[in-house]
Amino acid sequence: PAEGPAPPGAPQLILRDDAGDPERAARAVEELVTIHRAVAIVGPLDGAAALAAARRAQQLGVPLVTLAPSAELSRVGPMV
């Protein structure tokens, strides 16, 4: 931020690049939740990576808003 670093405990935006790789997308979801304590995730764009991320997010119980245009993803579960 323009005012300097965020204070401790402030919300943060953490980015991960899955490079379109489904395994990498699932690992990114796991890392964001277990290490960074993410309360929600946005992405990925790619259909296969989005499906892998959606499945892992559903297992971990974290909301995922995917950017992939696929109706199949909403069937993964209520967290997607």
Side-chain angles (χ1 to χ4, degrees):
E3 302 82 34
Q12 295 179 346
L13 178 64
I14 299 172
L15 305 174
R16 293 292 175 264
D17 182 4
D18 62 30
D21 178 357
E23 289 181 31
R24 195 166 159 180
R27 283 193 313 268
V29 169
E30 175 126 13
E31 177 186 324
L32 289 168
V33 172
T34 60
I35 295 173
H36 299 287
R37 301 173 157 269
V39 296
I41 298 171
V42 176
L45 292 167
D46 178 69
L51 183 57
R55 287 178 176 155
R56 191 64 187 127
Q58 182 64 37
Q59 291 170 343
L60 295 170
V62 66
L64 174 85
V65 177
T66 181
L67 302 174
S70 172
E72 177 185 354
L73 295 169
S74 64
R75 292 190 285 266
V76 170
M79 299 307 290
V80 180

